[in-house]
């Protein structure tokens, strides 16, 4: 998989890819992530990438020309399966979208800023608009980092224990059951006996029941779906 990220703040996006499992995925050659600073595609001598909005109103808008120039450059080098725009008015990211995107080969992620990008860029280039939740961020960069993490960890070979993504919360529309490790007793609290019984059928049944109980209690909306 190859991900190209177009941003006015590449520094904000560096550290997630220089730590933990994202770094390992890149080192293993399972994913390539390339940052493109929109300012490098600005045409006037002030390296301007934003401008006032027509019709008036507070806030700047990212100009179409630099973004278009960057999109054209990238698209001439390879074909892209998805060109994603990170924006609070996109569809809310969920596990199903992450699963779908983890199967793509080449993706561009465009990070919005200020009041966003000129609508014509969205009409011309964007195949999917993604929000990471119902709150406003200062820019799409942190959303892009969240999206990349959600996608990249699903690529086969990225997680050490290949089965562990399968038992994540949401992967079967349920929250994950409680987990325990040693010691068997901590501050008077014991690990549920079934987990130390060695009876794997019973353990599976307990985990499923706990997953349902937890989901019904915390996220009943997940049980109403499908
Ligand atoms: Cl992707 N961008 C911004 N600016 N705000 C957001 C968001 C994205 N997702 C939720 N809020």
């Amino acid at each position: 998989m190859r991900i190209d990220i177009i941003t006015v703040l590449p520094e904000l996006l560096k550290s997630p890819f220089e730590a933990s499992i994202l770094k390992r995925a890149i080192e293993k050659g399972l994913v390539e992530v390339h940052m493109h600073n929109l300012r490098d595609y600005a045409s006037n001598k002030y390296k301007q990438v934003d401008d006032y909005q027509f019709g008036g109103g507070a806030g700047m808008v990212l100009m179409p020309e630099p973004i278009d120039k960057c999109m054209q450059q990238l698209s001439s080098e390879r074909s892209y399966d998805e060109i994603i725009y990170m924006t609070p008015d996109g569809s809310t990211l969920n596990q199903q979208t992450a699963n779908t995107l983890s199967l793509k080969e080449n993706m561009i992620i465009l990070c919005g800023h200020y009041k966003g990008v000129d609508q014509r860029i969205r009409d011309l280039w964007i195949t999917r608009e993604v929000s990471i939740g119902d709150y406003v961020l200062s820019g799409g960069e942190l959303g892009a980092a969240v999206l990349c993490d959600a996608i990249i960890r699903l690529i086969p070979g990225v997680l050490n224990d290949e089965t562990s993504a399968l038992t994540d919360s949401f992967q079967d529309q349920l929250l994950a059951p409680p987990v325990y490790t040693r010691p068997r007793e901590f501050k008077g609290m014991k690990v549920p006996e079934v987990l130390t019984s060695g009876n794997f059928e019973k353990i599976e049944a307990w985990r499923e029941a706990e997953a349902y109980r937890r989901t019904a209690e915390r996220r009943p909306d997940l049980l109403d779906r499908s």
Side-chain angles (χ1 to χ4, degrees), residues 77-113:
E77 292 164 3
R78 68 196 63 76
S79 72
Y80 286 91
D81 308 299
E82 291 276 358
I83 303 183
I84 301 166
Y85 176 47
M86 300 307 302
T87 176
D89 58 8
S91 22
T92 312
L93 179 62
N94 57 26
Q95 194 61 42
Q96 192 193 316
T97 305
N99 289 345
T100 302
L101 293 175
S102 74
L103 302 172
K104 308 286 183 183
E105 208 47 56
N106 298 317
M107 268 183 272
I108 294 176
I109 302 178
L110 171 63
C111 300
H113 239 268

Side-chain angles (χ1 to χ4, degrees), residues 86-88 112 130-140 143-144:
M86 300 307 302
T87 176
V130 174
S131 159
I132 62 161
D134 293 342
Y135 42 83
V136 176
L137 304 170
S138 339

Side-chain angles (χ1 to χ4, degrees), residues 118-163:
D118 188 286
Q119 180 60 38
R120 291 166 291 185
I121 286 298
R122 298 167 75 160
D123 297 342
L124 195 58
W125 287 103
I126 299 302
T127 62
R128 189 189 284 267
E129 303 192 327
V130 174
S131 159
I132 62 161
D134 293 342
Y135 42 83
V136 176
L137 304 170
S138 339
E141 284 76 12
L142 295 176
V146 167
L147 177 62
C148 287
D149 187 297
I151 292 170
I152 291 169
R153 63 189 295 285
L154 296 174
I155 298 172
V158 170
L159 297 184
N160 278 335
D161 180 354
E162 280 262 26
T163 63

